């Protein structure tokens, strides 16, 4: 009986050790590192007057990188300002006339209120109130008539104001502002080149935290969840270098294993994509292969 208990105990210990490590000594998933890459493009057309970017540069968010020539826009804006001044001078007479009529309307409304109070005190007549009402209507009609005559000028001024806002927006977009903290991966343009709207200028990515995209089988899904800590390993000379990782995303639908997987048999299997965030110490690069260990093997 004691011998039986001894054998059973050894079996339990062996089973426990076995369960704490991968059953076949292999990683739970394989994949490559990636990062969110942003291509910064020109938002205007013209000559690159200043463009201070080099591949490998570490750039801060909202840093001024350079600008596209704004002289044509500035000249056009100046021309619109002159046109606006000319049109405004033509409409000053009409606008002053409207101001006079508005003053008369204000006086008429005061007389109306005074007459209504007199009627309440039996010191005024209905005819007096009717006369004031008639005067108010005449003044309102005169204001409407003047506004109709002035409508084309007012509309033209509004149109110029809209054009000025558009030019101001284009001038602002001629500035090249870096959108995120990150490292410049690729440079597509040089100073003094002519660029166009939508033309790529440089590509940048935040390499501070890399994402390892791996693929796991359906049977492994029960062992992982978003926010779970895992181990990520990369080749390091003759050994493996380990990093702490955290699962940030799990695909909701299965897909066929990507073609980067070597064997045809594995490529036809359905798998789930998983992303693991790993803090980069400078050794991790985009495209670098790595292993995912859901549970570190016991050494």
């Amino acid at each position: 009986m004691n011998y039986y208990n001894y054998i059973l105990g050894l079996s339990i210990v062996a089973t426990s050790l076995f369960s704490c490590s991968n059953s076949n000594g292999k990683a739970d998933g394989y994949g490559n590192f990636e990062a969110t890459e942003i291509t910064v493009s020109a938002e205007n057309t013209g000559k690159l007057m200043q463009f201070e970017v080099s591949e490998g540069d570490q750039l801060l968010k909202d840093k001024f990188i350079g600008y596209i020539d704004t002289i044509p826009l500035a000249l056009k804006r100046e021309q619109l300002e002159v046109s606006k001044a000319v049109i405004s001078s033509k409409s000053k007479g009409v606008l002053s006339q409207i101001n006079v009529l508005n003053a008369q309307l204000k006086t008429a409304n005061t007389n109306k209120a005074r007459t209504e109070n007199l009627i309440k005190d039996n010191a005024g007549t209905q005819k007096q109130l009717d006369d004031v009402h008639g005067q108010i209507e005449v003044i309102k009609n005169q204001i409407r008539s003047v506004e109709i005559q002035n409508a084309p000028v007012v509309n033209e001024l509004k149109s110029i104001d809209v054009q000025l806002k558009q030019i101001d927006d284009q001038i602002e977009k001629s500035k090249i502002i870096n959108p995120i903290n990150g490292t410049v991966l690729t440079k597509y343009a040089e100073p003094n080149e002519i660029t166009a709207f939508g033309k790529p200028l440089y590509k940048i990515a935040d390499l501070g935290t890399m994402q390892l995209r791996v693929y796991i089988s359906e049977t492994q899904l029960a062992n992982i969840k978003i926010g779970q800590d895992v181990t990520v390993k990369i080749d390091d000379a003759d050994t493996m270098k380990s990093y702490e990782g955290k699962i940030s995303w799990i695909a909701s639908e299965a897909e066929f294993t990507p073609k980067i997987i070597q064997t045809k048999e594995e490529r036809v299997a359905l798998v789930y994509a998983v992303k693991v965030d790993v803090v980069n110490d400078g050794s991790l690069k985009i495209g670098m292969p790595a292993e995912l260990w859901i549970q570190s093997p016991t050494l």
Side-chain angles (χ1 to χ4, degrees), residues 282-294:
S283 300
L284 306 180
K285 310 297 180 184
I286 294 176
M288 178 182 287
E291 299 177 356
L292 167 67
W293 294 78
I294 296 176

Side-chain angles (χ1 to χ4, degrees), residues 137-148:
E137 287 302 316
V138 169
I139 295 173
K140 286 182 177 180
N141 289 333
Q142 289 176 334
I143 292 174
R144 280 193 291 267
S145 176
V146 173
E147 287 177 342
I148 291 173

Side-chain angles (χ1 to χ4, degrees), residues 73-85 160 164:
L73 292 172
L75 293 174
K76 186 176 181 181
R77 194 184 195 289
E78 187 177 343
Q79 183 181 14
L80 286 172
E81 289 285 7
V82 172
S83 298
K84 182 178 179 181
I160 291 177
L164 286 171

Side-chain angles (χ1 to χ4, degrees), residues 213-221 249-258 266-274:
R213 179 187 284 267
V214 296
Y215 298 90
I216 63 173
S217 64
E218 185 176 2
T219 56
Q220 292 172 296
L221 277 180
W249 174 78
I250 301 173
S252 57
E253 295 181 358
E255 59 181 284
F256 285 107
T257 308
E266 289 178 319
R267 287 201 298 270
V268 298
L270 288 175
V271 293
Y272 290 83
V274 175

